[in-house]
Amino acid sequence: MTAGEVTQPKPQGFRIQDLPGKIWSNYVLRRIVRALVIIWLITTIIFFVIRLMPGNAFDLMVADMVVNRNMTEDEAKIRASSLLRINFNRPIGEQYLEYMSNLAKGDLGYSFINNNRTVQELLAQKLPWTLFSVGTSLMISFTLGMLLGMIAAYKRGSWLDHLITNFAAAMDAIPQYIYAIVLVLLLGVIWKIMPVMDMKGVLSPGIKPGFTFEFIWDALMHLRVPAFVYVLSTVGNWALSMKSSTLSTLGEDYVTVARARGLSDSRIITSYVGRNASLPLVTALALSVGFALGGSVVIESVFNYPGIGLELSKSLSNRDYPMLQGIFLITTTSVIFTNLIADLIYGWLDPRIRIAGGE
Amino acid sequence: MDAISTIFKEIWKTLRLIAMNKMGLLGFIMIIFFILMSFVGPYVVAPDLQAHVKEINQGPSVKHPLGTDFQGKDNLVQIVHGGRDILTIAFLAGLMTTFIAVLVGSFSAFFGGMVDTVLMEITNFWITIPKFPILVIVASTAKLTNLWLLALLLAMLSWGGFARQVRSQILSLKKREYVEAAQLLNLGPLHIIFREMLPNMMPFIATSLIFAMTSAIYSQTSLVFLGLVPFSGSNWGIMLSSAFAKGALYQKDAIWSVIAPVGAIALFQLSLVWFSRSLEEVFNPRLRSGV
Amino acid sequence: MMLAQQETNLPPTISIKNLSIDYKAKRGQVQAVRNISFEVDRGEAMALIGESGSGKTTIGLGVVGLLPPTAKIRQGEIIYRRAADGKIVDEIDVLKLNPQQIRQFRWKECAMVFQGALNAFNPVLRISDQFADTASAHNALRGMALKERATEILHMVRLDADRVWRSYPHELSGGMRQRVLIALSLLLEPQLIIMDEPTTALDVLTQRNIMDVLKDLRKNLNFSLIFISHDLSLAAELADKVSTVYAGKIVELGDVYTVFRNPYHPYTIGLIHAVPTLAGRKEDLTSIPGSPPDLINMPTGCKFHPRCPLADDQCKTQEPDLEEIGKGHRVACWKWQTARETLKRFKAS
């Protein structure tokens, strides 16, 4: 009876037809395969959107060049092909292979408006700023929101809970650009706390990028207001999710038992309530990266912050399709990778979803 | 007729419960106010079509309670005329979002097995990819001058999360006795989903609808603000966008043409949030504070 | 057993006097525990028996100071006495402890094994970590000493100690988890253990298994036990004394043998008849008609009178107190002398 409940794994030889099943049953492998499949799906969809759909990007681009740049249709087609790095005279299957192999090499074509600059080069220049601003703000917002949510849950029903919950719900529903506008108005125009110029851009004139204190400090100073906007617009959601997650964790038996075991409050809050309550938020954090990247379109436009978001709206108004394709690919891929990382972290944090016997 | 009177009784009961929650009542009254203002208001207040060069960027006064904009037009009049499209799109998008979510979620949960796996993989895929860039790209390439089209686009992008919630709700409902009984009677999936399950999910669906409306307002006004949805006439987003474009942010005189649309959007969002939160409390007694 | 013999002369491990606990609810005050007094001697097991909602669990939570914030102790005292080397070394009024002291008191002096404890362990920590957490909270064992002690007690509850030690809770079955929790309750050698429905939510075979483990532990170790259950047959198997709790009040108290053989309170009589035996025919099972009282709007007089076939005007207006009717046997009923006979006649007719 002692160890009768132990299930013994059945010994098995390796068979090739078991491979998919084996990959599927391994949590980590399954997640990686899934991420790759999703990326492949998205790139394929983008290809067809560019090439095949009626009113597709290629045709729009050609039409645009014919009308606005006085090219003949053939010239425009050649130019569009060279920018998108796809030879549009070949059969569709070959075009697809060419497109995929270009992507695999990291070749995203040439920007339409920035002559002779490759899309990947431009992205490499813009992406760090967006990652810096979005990443910093997201971390601040996530930590702050978790803290507020836990306080609200612990002080449930008190005036503090009502204050946090109502504020969080209200803040969650207000669009980002409203925060941006209101902050600029209050800080720059009405209270005159900081010059409006300091809120715009990423660096003051004359500051050179590099690992200098001056550079980092200046970058952070310019990030203050945009980051504040990100935080204000997302912290409410974190606080609300953490509150409801904490409340349901607090109702779990193991928390009561932990108290009965005489564990200190700090140990219970961190390892018993906090760790379990934050599990669902890890997945949400990865999803919110996508949301934050989306928000960067608005915030970077308001603050003239030269990241991916601003580039997206510029490319849109210039009909720079290679650039749009690149931006869309890069944001999607980074979101999928963040999700993959979050899944892996989740698997590490929560032993229940690791496959039993997998260690 | 009986069914209708029961529905009205239910609604009346719910409203009375909401009235017990101060924030919820306030939200409800504000929503009614915004609806009246946006749909009845334009027939009462004449539109301000002409520029008044002498009255540019004024602060509040008796004549212009919310000041005037860069063309000297009255801000209050524009607010009254600028709500209809936003409210309509929000409502349509909310309805469509909820509809898609209920369809996907309930089929996934009800049929289970392969249907569930496939639908949920699609849903998760859809949730994962960043949608605002898609929205921006689609909105700028396709000319979204039609309210219905924009609403549909917003709905297409935001049903994912709700569908998952609907699925888990249905999964728990599936275990209830009356649903099992209906299954034994072989009443058919459509009957069971639409006649037995959905009525029991109305509270959840009502709150999701409102949430979907807030997120639709969120996205559509962002699009308008970025100048990607070319709406004609007045609209809170356009007011804001043009005030912003005219540099209203940086000159103190023009502040009121920013404050007016910002206030309208924020207040309407707040009233939806307050109302839906009190709805949640009404429907989910566990959330009521103090036992 | 020798130890238990020596210590029987000592005062009880725990004495609860006139304890009353209310809950605040929207509709009014819930009187969960009303003026309850009882004692548990050294090495003795007391069973608290009653339907769900009778206030048994509240008593247990009160002893370890884990009542929810809405609960209020209106009156009473809970005295716990620690014995060592054959004499009392410490006497603690549990209700007067400050938060830090009550935290130390829990598990070290009095461990509580919970109802439906399938979810009693933090899902993200290994069993070993949860043992270590418990020990370090009380500055007790660590390292190898902890592992040795854990192995010893895990063996006592008939578990494969090495395997369990490395496991996460979800890797163990419900019955195994419950036994791990029982083992964990022994870790710091508390002198009092409260078990709140330790076998509910488990299948019959696992229940049997756990009851055997508990009987073993009672035989081999010397701790006092408060055993909370709705199941009289389990109580009869494990306990020395039994208290029937109805509407937050003890209505009958005595040693297990006497109460089972000669119950006097109509409620206890009903409960005993409600126990199905494997051999017994179904028709013999006379459950008690009606449902437990609303603890906010309690009936007047004896709280059992609406469900009692013997109730008369006195029962409806005056509430009886516990009355000594034999050695250590106390009953709170106006009709105790005739109850059994009358009920038999009712049943016959």
Side-chain angles (χ1 to χ4, degrees):
Chain A
M1 200 54 209
T2 356
E5 286 135 293
V6 184
T7 46
Q8 293 292 336
K10 285 174 233 126
Q12 258 182 1
F14 180 79
R15 287 184 309 176
I16 192 73
Q17 62 265 38
D18 291 342
L19 196 62
K22 282 211 164 125
I23 290 175
W24 194 249
S25 66
N26 181 305
Y27 178 73
V28 175
L29 275 179
R30 187 170 79 219
R31 294 285 139 173
I32 292 174
V33 168
R34 239 173 83 140
L36 292 177
V37 169
I38 292 179
I39 288 176
W40 170 74
L41 259 175
I42 286 175
T43 47
T44 306
I45 292 171
I46 290 177
F47 172 79
F48 285 105
V49 168
I50 288 176
R51 188 60 196 98
L52 288 183
M53 296 231 307
N56 62 61
F58 181 76
D59 292 348
L60 285 174
M61 214 168 146
V62 171
D64 188 54
M65 282 191 274
V66 170
V67 174
N68 295 329
R69 310 217 164 184
N70 298 319
M71 291 184 189
T72 65
E73 196 173 329
D74 285 337
E75 273 173 359
K77 275 189 176 166
I78 292 166
R79 175 120 172 84
S81 296
S82 76
L83 287 175
L84 284 167
R85 306 271 288 141
I86 302 174
N87 190 340
F88 286 93
N89 294 322
R90 292 220 232 133
I92 189 76
E94 279 178 43
Q95 286 182 28
Y96 179 67
L97 287 180
E98 192 181 2
Y99 162 83
M100 284 312 246
S101 79
N102 281 344
L103 283 188
K105 281 181 269 176
D107 184 350
L108 298 172
Y110 291 93
S111 162
F112 185 39
I113 38 167
N114 303 285
N115 269 329
N116 293 326
R117 297 193 65 186
T118 59
V119 170
Q120 58 268 31
E121 181 190 340
L122 285 164
L123 288 180
Q125 191 188 338
K126 308 289 178 185
L127 191 63
W129 288 113
T130 299
L131 291 184
F132 169 62
S133 57
V134 166
T136 315
S137 322
L138 208 54
M139 279 306 131
I140 297 173
S141 166
F142 185 67
T143 321
L144 192 65
M146 290 227 294
L147 213 66
L148 291 174
M150 275 189 95
I151 292 173
Y154 262 91
K155 304 271 174 202
R156 188 174 178 212
S158 70
W159 63 269
L160 197 59
D161 170 28
H162 288 300
L163 189 76
I164 292 175
T165 310
N166 283 317
F167 256 93
M171 286 167 67
D172 189 36
I174 293 174
Q176 284 154 329
Y177 61 87
I178 289 193
Y179 290 113
I181 287 171
V182 169
L183 274 183
V184 173
L185 265 183
L186 288 180
L187 298 175
V189 183
I190 297 182
W191 297 335
K192 291 196 172 26
I193 295 172
M194 61 192 295
V196 174
M197 277 323 287
D198 275 9
M199 303 179 198
K200 289 197 154 197
V202 279
L203 291 174
S204 307
I207 305 268
K208 294 247 167 355
F211 269 107
T212 58
F213 171 76
E214 207 185 6
F215 165 68
I216 295 169
W217 179 252
D218 196 58
L220 283 174
M221 283 296 106
H222 279 269
L223 184 61
R224 271 180 304 180
V225 185
F228 202 27
V229 174
Y230 277 114
V231 171
L232 284 177
S233 61
T234 50
V235 74
N237 187 28
W238 293 125
L240 290 181
S241 320
M242 189 61 186
K243 182 191 166 188
S244 76
S245 184
T246 307
L247 277 181
S248 66
T249 310
L250 281 175
E252 296 282 357
D253 290 342
Y254 56 80
V255 176
T256 318
V257 174
R259 290 174 65 210
R261 279 155 56 197
L263 300 198
S264 63
D265 286 342
S266 61
R267 179 77 185 154
I268 294 177
I269 289 174
T270 53
S271 298
Y272 285 70
V273 179
R275 188 160 163 196
N276 284 292
S278 54
L279 280 179
L281 271 76
V282 174
T283 325
L285 181 63
L287 288 178
S288 77
V289 172
F291 181 75
L293 283 176
S296 72
V297 180
V298 173
I299 294 177
E300 290 181 0
S301 301
V302 174
F303 293 104
N304 203 20
Y305 199 91
I308 290 288
L310 185 60
E311 201 57 36
L312 177 62
S313 41
K314 271 193 204 159
S315 309
L316 271 176
S317 44
N318 294 313
R319 306 253 173 256
D320 189 344
Y321 291 103
M323 202 60 201
L324 281 178
Q325 175 197 327
I327 292 171
F328 191 70
L329 269 177
I330 200 84
T331 41
T332 315
T333 326
S334 34
V335 169
I336 290 165
F337 270 110
T338 345
N339 270 288
L340 176 63
I341 294 168
D343 277 346
L344 299 183
I345 292 177
Y346 194 99
W348 172 66
L349 285 176
D350 187 350
R352 278 167 298 185
I353 62 169
R354 275 178 250 164
I355 292 304
E359 289 177 81
Chain B
M1 280 320 276
D2 232 28
I4 293 171
S5 75
T6 343
I7 289 173
F8 273 112
K9 260 184 208 154
E10 279 300 309
I11 293 177
W12 179 241
K13 238 168 63 190
T14 313
L15 284 180
R16 281 184 48 184
L17 274 168
I18 288 167
M20 280 161 60
N21 179 318
K22 272 172 271 166
M23 291 302 236
L25 185 64
L26 185 63
F28 182 70
I29 292 171
M30 276 163 60
I31 292 172
I32 298 288
F33 167 77
F34 272 106
I35 292 174
L36 287 179
M37 181 188 85
S38 304
F39 290 91
V40 182
Y43 297 105
V44 182
V45 182
D48 196 358
L49 296 173
Q50 285 203 317
H52 309 278
V53 195
K54 285 181 186 162
E55 296 180 333
I56 287 172
N57 288 337
Q58 287 188 345
S61 60
V62 181
K63 196 177 164 201
H64 305 293
L66 290 177
T68 57
D69 72 355
F70 64 99
Q71 291 180 311
K73 292 184 188 170
D74 184 85
N75 283 329
L76 180 62
V77 173
Q78 294 196 63
I79 291 285
V80 171
H81 284 264
R84 206 188 60 209
D85 285 357
I86 291 196
L87 264 59
T88 311
I89 291 179
F91 184 67
L92 288 178
L95 268 186
M96 293 181 193
T97 308
T98 316
F99 180 73
I100 303 175
V102 166
L103 215 61
V104 174
S106 56
F107 272 69
S108 187
F110 192 82
F111 293 107
M114 269 314 275
V115 178
D116 186 32
T117 315
V118 170
L119 282 177
M120 278 302 114
E121 279 295 322
I122 294 174
T123 310
N124 287 337
F125 168 73
W126 199 235
I127 290 173
T128 312
I129 56 176
K131 278 164 288 285
F132 198 66
I134 303 184
L135 189 59
V136 168
I137 292 171
V138 176
S140 62
T141 45
K143 300 264 174 293
L144 289 172
T145 40
N146 185 321
L147 297 186
W148 288 81
L149 268 181
L150 181 59
L152 183 65
L153 178 65
L154 291 171
M156 293 285 288
L157 291 172
S158 52
W159 56 269
F162 293 122
R164 278 217 299 221
Q165 290 171 355
V166 171
R167 176 176 171 268
S168 63
Q169 290 262 330
I170 296 251
L171 279 182
S172 74
L173 279 179
K174 231 174 127 178
K175 296 195 192 97
R176 303 273 172 86
E177 282 156 18
Y178 59 86
V179 175
E180 287 183 343
Q183 272 171 315
L184 286 177
L185 289 173
N186 227 347
L187 287 176
L190 289 178
H191 176 96
I192 296 172
I193 291 176
F194 289 100
R195 301 299 295 274
E196 308 288 335
M197 287 177 161
L198 287 186
N200 285 289
M201 289 171 58
M202 279 333 271
F204 169 76
I205 292 175
T207 37
S208 323
L209 175 68
I210 295 173
F211 272 121
M213 282 173 69
T214 58
S215 70
I217 291 178
Y218 198 121
S219 318
Q220 69 157 310
T221 54
S222 300
L223 284 180
V224 176
F225 176 71
L226 288 171
L228 294 173
V229 185
F231 276 125
S232 51
S234 51
N235 165 319
W236 301 337
I238 293 174
M239 285 175 73
L240 191 57
S241 172
S242 49
F244 186 71
K246 299 283 171 199
L249 268 190
Y250 312 111
Q251 48 193 110
K252 217 167 178 175
D253 303 335
I255 277 175
W256 280 92
S257 39
V258 176
I259 290 178
V262 162
I265 297 169
L267 278 179
F268 186 61
Q269 288 286 73
L270 284 185
S271 55
L272 284 177
V273 168
W274 285 332
F275 181 62
S276 71
R277 288 184 60 75
S278 71
L279 264 188
E280 268 189 332
E281 278 190 25
V282 168
F283 292 133
N284 187 353
R286 277 196 312 153
L287 284 176
R288 279 180 223 168
S289 41
V291 184
Chain C
M1 282 314 260
M2 280 302 289
L3 205 63
Q5 291 296 325
Q6 280 171 16
E7 288 188 349
T8 38
N9 303 325
L10 292 175
T13 312
I14 186 159
S15 310
I16 295 177
K17 273 186 213 136
N18 307 327
L19 184 67
S20 295
I21 302 173
D22 289 354
Y23 287 106
K24 209 166 54 194
K26 277 242 165 92
R27 286 196 297 131
Q29 295 285 325
V30 180
Q31 301 176 47
V33 173
R34 299 183 303 126
N35 205 15
I36 271 185
S37 305
F38 67 88
E39 294 176 336
V40 185
D41 278 325
R42 308 259 139 217
E44 186 182 62
M46 157 75 87
L48 297 181
I49 303 299
E51 291 161 301
S52 50
S54 60
K56 317 165 283 187
T57 300
T58 306
I59 300 171
L61 292 174
V63 172
V64 289
L66 279 178
L67 291 167
T70 47
K72 190 172 177 285
I73 297 177
R74 256 196 304 118
Q75 57 158 1
E77 56 180 17
I78 300 171
I79 306 289
Y80 166 85
R81 299 179 194 84
R82 179 174 44 213
D85 306 324
K87 55 179 188 287
I88 299 296
V89 292
D90 203 359
E91 195 170 293
I92 300 168
D93 187 344
V94 179
L95 299 180
K96 294 210 171 87
L97 296 178
N98 67 31
Q100 184 59 27
Q101 289 165 327
I102 188 93
R103 186 173 82 66
Q104 286 299 329
F105 172 79
R106 290 176 196 150
W107 221 256
K108 179 93 185 67
E109 308 296 342
C110 172
M112 184 159 178
V113 174
F114 284 88
Q115 180 173 9
L118 300 186
N119 199 8
F121 291 101
N122 186 346
V124 299
L125 294 182
R126 286 176 199 278
I127 298 297
S128 53
D129 293 327
Q130 313 209 24
F131 271 70
D133 268 351
T134 314
S136 76
H138 299 278
N139 302 314
L141 312 151
R142 60 171 70 184
M144 277 318 288
L146 172 69
K147 173 102 199 267
E148 270 166 35
R149 170 75 183 146
T151 309
E152 183 192 350
I153 49 185
L154 286 170
H155 275 310
M156 276 186 217
V157 297
R158 305 180 193 174
L159 283 170
D160 174 355
D162 283 332
R163 190 176 105 74
V164 168
W165 187 245
R166 284 179 284 114
S167 299
Y168 284 102
H170 71 276
E171 295 166 340
L172 307 173
S173 71
M176 287 168 92
R177 265 179 270 176
Q178 188 63 298
R179 279 182 283 161
V180 174
L181 185 62
I182 292 169
L184 184 58
S185 74
L186 302 170
L187 180 72
L188 306 170
E189 300 176 68
Q191 300 189 352
L192 176 65
I193 299 182
I194 301 173
M195 296 201 178
D196 186 359
E197 308 265 11
T199 60
T200 320
L202 297 172
D203 64 88
V204 183
L205 283 177
T206 318
Q207 258 188 37
R208 190 67 263 140
N209 192 306
I210 299 225
M211 286 307 289
D212 290 342
V213 165
L214 289 178
K215 275 199 277 186
D216 263 14
L217 294 177
R218 288 258 296 130
K219 212 188 306 167
N220 300 325
L221 300 173
N222 180 44
F223 57 85
S224 304
L225 176 66
I226 297 178
F227 183 83
I228 298 171
S229 180
H230 66 278
D231 190 334
L232 260 178
S233 58
L234 296 182
E237 219 176 304
L238 200 65
D240 305 310
K241 284 200 290 194
V242 58
S243 300
T244 322
V245 184
Y246 190 81
K249 202 173 162 77
I250 293 181
V251 291
E252 182 157 10
L253 187 158
D255 74 81
V256 137
Y257 194 77
T258 321
V259 172
F260 267 78
R261 278 296 158 85
N262 300 309
Y264 283 100
H265 197 283
Y267 181 60
T268 318
I269 298 170
L271 277 181
I272 289 172
H273 283 298
V275 176
T277 54
L278 283 177
R281 299 206 320 280
K282 223 177 179 174
E283 298 89 276
D284 293 343
L285 203 152
T286 53
S287 64
I288 306 160
S291 51
D294 177 1
L295 296 178
I296 293 174
N297 278 314
M298 288 240 229
T300 52
C302 172
K303 305 308 174 222
F304 188 60
H305 87 253
R307 298 168 74 183
C308 182
L310 313 176
D312 63 10
D313 283 347
Q314 187 186 23
C315 299
K316 283 176 189 155
T317 48
Q318 290 170 284
E319 183 163 25
D321 280 328
L322 275 178
E323 182 184 345
E324 184 105 20
I325 56 158
K327 189 178 175 292
H329 193 175
R330 285 183 282 170
V331 177
C333 175
W334 298 122
K335 307 272 172 213
W336 66 271
Q337 278 156 317
T338 54
R340 215 170 328 137
E341 284 308 309
T342 329
L343 280 173
K344 224 177 248 165
R345 259 189 283 121
F346 267 115
K347 215 173 119 190
S349 62

